[in-house]
Amino acid sequence: MRRLFLIAGLMTAFGLAIVAASAFAPANFAGTWSLDKTKSQGLDPRMQNAESVTWTITQDGKQISIESKVTGGQPPAGGNGGGGGGGMGGGRGPAGPRVFTLDGKEVTAEAPGGNNTTKSAWSNEGKTLELSAIRTGSRDGNDFKFTTVEKLSLSGDGKVLTDVRHNEGPRGVNDSTLVFNKQ
């Protein structure tokens, strides 16, 4: 009888451990996502006028990479917009994918004309990922700083990705919410 209770107790503990581990697994944003402009707010002019905006996200246990593709639409006059463009405050977006480590450590890399510093942080339950990017540098003798903070989250069924974004730069502040549907 004692043996039966011991086995039943161990099986219960094992089952609870599996449930607890899966409940705290971080969200996986990997996939191809299409911008739903009707549900999005605060889009920069290029995104608003684009035929389509697609994100391709790859993610593993160590990093997340977001490749943005804007089809059609013209960049705003002057080349840089107020924000929603690619996470760096510009209407054109950065060259190549935006890559963030998922270990919470700050990473600084040299970029043409300046530096990019990125950092990520998971919410306690692992359902929201906060991405921070700071680009600093100098152009034509003028120092600049662009700061972007994004909060990525998935709908319960994993078919809708929401990016709540705050940009600050030389041209001011822009808040936007981008809503993507999984393709």
Side-chain angles (χ1 to χ4, degrees):
M1 191 71 158
R2 281 177 129 173
R3 182 179 263 174
L4 182 61
F5 282 123
L6 179 62
I7 291 172
L10 287 173
M11 290 181 69
T12 301
F14 181 70
L16 289 173
I18 290 173
V19 169
S22 66
F24 294 106
N28 188 338
F29 300 100
T32 303
W33 302 89
S34 179
L35 181 68
D36 186 338
K37 291 192 280 186
T38 63
K39 294 180 182 174
S40 299
Q41 299 173 356
L43 296 176
D44 72 25
R46 180 158 187 217
M47 282 189 172
Q48 189 62 47
N49 296 325
E51 293 171 25
S52 68
V53 177
T54 305
W55 278 8
T56 303
I57 299 177
T58 55
Q59 178 180 341
D60 59 30
K62 295 181 181 183
Q63 71 178 19
I64 186 168
S65 172
I66 304 171
E67 179 80 41
S68 181
K69 180 180 179 187
V70 179
T71 304
Q74 295 297 318
N80 284 333
M88 295 310 224
R92 295 175 300 186
R98 296 180 295 135
V99 179
F100 297 84
T101 62
L102 294 175
D103 60 8
K105 294 179 183 171
E106 190 171 275
V107 177
T108 300
E110 284 189 37
N115 290 312
N116 289 331
T117 302
T118 60
K119 186 176 179 181
S120 68
W122 286 102
S123 63
N124 289 340
E125 75 282 357
K127 299 199 183 295
T128 302
L129 178 62
E130 183 173 297
L131 304 174
S132 303
I134 300 172
R135 176 153 167 78
T136 57
S138 181
R139 187 176 306 149
D140 300 326
N142 297 313
D143 292 337
F144 64 84
K145 179 178 178 180
F146 292 102
T147 303
T148 301
V149 177
E150 301 177 70
K151 292 183 181 179
L152 302 179
S153 61
L154 289 176
S155 61
D157 63 4
K159 295 182 180 180
V160 178
L161 167 66
T162 302
D163 176 17
V164 177
R165 182 180 289 191
H166 177 79
N167 289 309
E168 293 183 18
R171 296 186 182 199
V173 175
N174 182 41
D175 291 314
S176 57
T177 301
L178 284 64
V179 178
F180 292 86
N181 297 314
K182 193 157 196 171
Q183 293 184 339

